[in-house]
Amino acid sequence: MTWTGLAPGGPSPLASPRPTIDYRKLVNGFFWLTVASGSVVFIEPAPYDILILITIALWTFGGFTIHRAVLPFVLLLLLWTLGGYIALVPYWNEADPVDYMFHTTFIITTGVFFALFLSERTTRRAELLLSAYAVSCVLASAIALTTWFAAFDGSGDWVKDGRAMAPFKDPNVLGSYMVLGVLYLIQRLLLGRVRYWWAVAPGLALCLAALFLSFSRGSWGAAVISTAMIVGFLVKTADSRRMRLRIAAGAAGVVLTVLVGIVGALSQPDVRDFFFQRAHAEQDYDSGPNGRFGNQARSIPMLIERPNGFGPLRFRLTFGLEPHNSYIDAFASEGWLGGFCFLSLAASTIFVGFRQSLTRHPWMRESQVLFAATFVFFLQALQIDIGHWRMFFVSLGGLWGIEAARRRWLAQEGKS
């Protein structure tokens, strides 16, 4: 058995045929399968965790390069993690903080992988990433809707307090996971790429339904903001006035369809009551000195006095709840070093993302999808802990990988 593309020479004409493996197709296949499995996380370890290790090992075997445009991203992730290990030192004998930092190391490694992987053969790999992610969203949506209707008016292992969450462990994660897939499918419709409209439109409908039934306020807001962003990007970078009008008309059609669907869902009294309950900007557990926002406010003066923060997973020991704010959590779990690195990561990514999304280059459309999702993840970080979200590092790493490819393209074109 030989690996095509790696062997120094072809087989002898007199040699008997031997089975061959196309190395690139093998790596791409495992990559696609890894991303497509990203929504199945109700078991530990998740299929994604195993498959991505196999994919990284196969990819590393073929060799890779690191473009200088990726180095700021990699450095910020490494320093963020280093801050966590420094803060961990006094608690190294405690299992939970150690497990937390090991998981942090693993999830950050995947972000670096996505950046390096997409920095080469970017066109093909970006399409593999987005198509596989869309498939994972449709799969998760089908499971979420099936289990939610089966448990209507009640809760089960796959439904939490009347909110769809399967195949995740948290409705908020289900809702937020849908965002990137929804953006990709909407973009395909608005750009007129409807060769597979019979799959794109129902898939989008499923994803939107699952997003709605997660009853996640943050996810609803993220979906609205990111959709507005991608429509704005498409209009701004359209090739002609006619294309702009078509995009605007398509966006209006999508909005109208969604509103009709929401009105139909709200015709059910139980759904309507729960919707308006969840739609409140502030819930009971948010308010008061010991609520989410109160804890966050009380923690800031304490963190100013602690260069190493509280230590990984120790915010909840002090306040009884998780911080539910990734910026505060970065300072609490990874100290000043990790906190400022996370802030720098957000600022630099937003700068790079807007530049990619509003200037022309071969991967502008893919950048628009990845950045719109990444941007709202950073917004959601103000009200939820995203530091271990797989989908966050998929879009984040993908965006920085495209930045490396874009910089290389500019150099080749003599535009830099």
Side-chain angles (χ1 to χ4, degrees), residues 54-389:
I54 297 173
T55 303
I56 292 175
L58 285 172
W59 165 73
T60 304
F61 179 74
F64 59 92
T65 59
I66 302 178
H67 192 275
R68 64 179 180 273
V70 180
L71 291 179
F73 171 67
V74 175
L75 181 62
L76 286 172
L77 290 183
L78 291 178
L79 291 176
W80 179 17
T81 309
L82 176 62
Y85 278 106
I86 293 173
L88 176 66
V89 170
Y91 314 106
W92 190 256
N93 62 333
E94 299 181 19
D96 287 345
V98 172
D99 288 344
Y100 175 88
M101 283 311 305
F102 284 169
H103 191 186
T104 298
T105 304
F106 167 74
I107 204 72
I108 283 179
T109 300
T110 67
V112 173
F113 163 70
F114 282 109
L116 299 182
F117 190 74
L118 264 71
S119 67
E120 299 178 308
R121 303 186 183 94
T122 307
T123 301
R124 176 60 176 158
R125 289 174 173 178
E127 179 57 31
L128 285 172
L129 184 149
L130 292 173
S131 63
Y133 196 98
V135 168
S136 75
C137 287
V138 172
L139 172 64
S141 299
I143 296 173
L145 267 63
T146 301
T147 53
W148 187 85
F149 281 110
F152 187 69
D153 290 335
S155 295
D157 294 336
W158 299 77
V159 177
K160 183 177 181 180
D161 300 328
R163 303 167 63 192
M165 68 175 183
F168 295 89
K169 298 177 180 179
D170 188 326
N172 296 314
V173 181
L174 168 66
S176 296
Y177 191 89
M178 292 296 112
V179 171
L180 180 55
V182 165
L183 294 176
Y184 174 65
L185 295 174
I186 286 177
Q187 187 193 63
R188 289 184 69 88
L189 288 178
L190 296 184
L191 291 178
R193 299 173 182 178
V194 293
R195 181 168 49 168
Y196 302 108
W197 64 268
W198 53 269
V200 173
L204 177 59
L206 276 174
C207 293
L208 289 172
L211 174 62
F212 176 79
L213 293 177
S214 71
F215 292 101
S216 170
R217 296 166 297 161
S219 301
W220 291 344
V224 171
I225 294 171
S226 60
T227 299
M229 287 179 67
I230 201 164
V231 172
F233 291 150
L234 292 176
V235 170
K236 178 67 175 178
T237 58
D239 296 326
S240 64
R241 182 173 181 273
R242 180 179 179 182
M243 187 176 181
R244 290 188 181 93
L245 292 175
R246 188 178 68 190
I247 291 170
V254 170
V255 171
L256 180 61
T257 303
V258 170
L259 290 177
V260 170
I262 292 176
V263 170
L266 296 182
S267 64
Q268 296 291 328
D270 291 342
V271 175
R272 182 174 60 251
D273 293 343
F274 194 47
F275 172 82
F276 287 112
Q277 175 189 339
R278 292 295 304 170
H280 288 162
E282 186 172 302
Q283 300 292 323
D284 292 339
Y285 51 78
D286 292 327
S287 57
N290 296 318
R292 170 167 38 178
F293 301 136
N295 288 340
Q296 293 170 4
R298 289 190 295 132
S299 71
I300 293 175
M302 301 170 68
L303 292 172
I304 291 175
E305 300 173 354
R306 293 171 168 80
N308 289 329
F310 300 127
L313 284 186
R314 301 194 69 82
F315 186 100
R316 62 187 181 186
L317 297 181
T318 304
F319 297 98
L321 292 171
E322 299 293 353
H324 294 301
N325 182 307
S326 295
Y327 300 95
I328 290 178
D329 185 47
F331 282 95
S333 296
E334 285 87 30
W336 290 2
L337 177 60
F340 284 115
C341 282
F342 189 75
L343 289 174
S344 300
L345 180 65
S348 58
T349 301
I350 290 170
F351 173 78
V352 165
F354 272 114
R355 184 172 61 185
Q356 285 185 25
S357 300
L358 295 172
T359 58
R360 293 194 174 278
H361 57 89
W363 310 281
M364 181 181 66
R365 298 307 183 196
E366 292 85 351
S367 295
Q368 291 168 346
V369 173
L370 291 170
F371 174 58
T374 306
F375 181 82
V376 293
F377 286 153
F378 277 122
L379 288 184
Q380 285 188 274
L382 292 168
Q383 49 88 221
I384 199 168
D385 306 309
I386 69 168
H388 286 176
W389 279 10

Side-chain angles (χ1 to χ4, degrees), residues 24-33 117 124-125 128:
R24 290 183 183 178
K25 289 184 177 179
L26 180 66
V27 173
N28 287 345
F30 267 97
F31 177 74
W32 190 94
L33 188 60
F117 190 74
R124 176 60 176 158
R125 289 174 173 178
L128 285 172

